[in-house]
């Protein structure tokens, strides 16, 4: 209840509107040049979870999934696949800063979050990159409209489909991620 409308709109503008604009412009360029290819956008498992303190971020990442599903439907007939990667916690400076900001004991907060994951660790950036490359590979072009979780099983914990509402100390960062990766033939 502490999130202001201004804060909510800022996160939505960066994550949702930014992704929409990037995909629309990229798709238009691909259509004009008659290029088949793949668009892979970044969402988050946070878009599939209900976390008490992260409503703007979660809502923006769910919106990103709907953008992906809609563009997959629109662009499929033109040979353009559109998919999303939904990372969970990733070993990045952003997560290190978020853990630090979440309280006096950043190491304990980060360890607590990792312990909640079935794999008991954060992803490494190259694991996320390999998933993007898989979806962008021309040999996998028939895959479209898919959200691939790279999260060590995270959506199984705090997942809306199981009726839980997890409220961990450390969760997804409340600011934006880079919205997308685009690869053409």
């Amino acid at each position: 209840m502490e999130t202001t409308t201004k804060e909510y709109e800022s996160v939505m503008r960066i994550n949702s509107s930014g992704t929409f604009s990037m995909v629309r412009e990229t798709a238009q360029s691909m259509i004009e040049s008659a290029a088949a290819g793949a668009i892979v956008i970044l969402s988050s498992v946070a878009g599939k979870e209900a976390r008490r303190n992260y409503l703007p971020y979660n809502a923006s990442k769910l919106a990103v999934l709907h953008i992906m599903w809609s563009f997959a439907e629109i662009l499929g007939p033109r040979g353009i696949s559109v998919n999303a990667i939904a990372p969970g916690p990733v070993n990045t400076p952003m997560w290190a800063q978020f853990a630090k900001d979440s309280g006096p004991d950043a190491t304990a907060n980060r360890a607590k979050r990792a312990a909640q994951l079935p794999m008991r660790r954060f992803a490494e950036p190259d694991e996320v990159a390999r998933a993007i490359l898989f979806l962008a590979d021309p040999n996998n072009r028939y895959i479209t409209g898919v959200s691939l979780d790279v999260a060590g099983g995270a959506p199984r914990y705090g997942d809306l489909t199981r009726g839980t509402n997890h409220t961990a100390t450390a969760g997804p960062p409340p600011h934006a991620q880079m919205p997308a990766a685009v690869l053409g033939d």
Side-chain angles (χ1 to χ4, degrees):
M1 299 300 291
E2 296 175 11
T3 302
T4 67
T5 300
K6 184 177 179 179
E7 290 167 334
Y8 176 84
E9 289 173 348
S10 175
V11 173
M12 291 299 286
R13 184 178 58 255
I14 293 166
N15 288 343
S16 177
S17 299
T19 298
F20 170 80
S21 296
M22 190 281 309
V23 174
R24 182 194 62 217
E25 294 303 315
T26 300
Q28 189 61 43
S29 177
M30 292 172 83
I31 290 166
E32 288 170 4
S33 65
I39 299 173
V40 181
I41 62 177
L42 293 177
S43 182
S44 170
V45 294
K48 302 174 184 183
E49 296 178 319
R51 287 184 179 254
R52 190 171 298 181
N53 298 322
Y54 305 103
L55 188 147
Y57 185 81
N58 295 5
S60 73
K61 291 304 185 173
L62 181 59
V64 167
L65 293 175
H66 282 272
I67 290 166
M68 177 268 298
W69 290 320
S70 296
F71 273 112
E73 181 74 23
I74 293 165
L75 298 173
R78 297 179 181 272
I80 301 170
S81 65
V82 184
N83 294 293
I85 296 295
V90 180
N91 263 333
T92 63
M94 182 175 72
W95 260 98
Q97 183 62 47
F98 181 74
K100 183 179 174 185
D101 293 345
S102 67
D105 194 349
T107 302
N109 290 339
R110 187 179 171 93
K112 181 178 178 181
R113 179 64 176 130
Q116 295 165 345
L117 302 170
M119 296 293 289
R120 304 292 189 257
R121 67 176 180 84
F122 284 16
E124 294 301 326
D126 66 310
E127 292 172 306
V128 177
R130 284 194 301 271
I132 292 169
L133 291 172
F134 171 79
L135 290 175
D137 187 316
N139 293 316
N140 298 324
R141 198 58 47 78
Y142 195 69
I143 300 170
T144 193
V146 168
S147 171
L148 178 58
D149 296 343
V150 183
R156 292 183 181 93
Y157 193 84
D159 173 357
L160 288 174
T161 63
R162 290 185 172 48
T164 61
N165 185 7
H166 178 64
T167 56
T169 303
H175 49 80
Q177 295 178 357
M178 187 173 88
V182 180
L183 297 164
D185 289 336

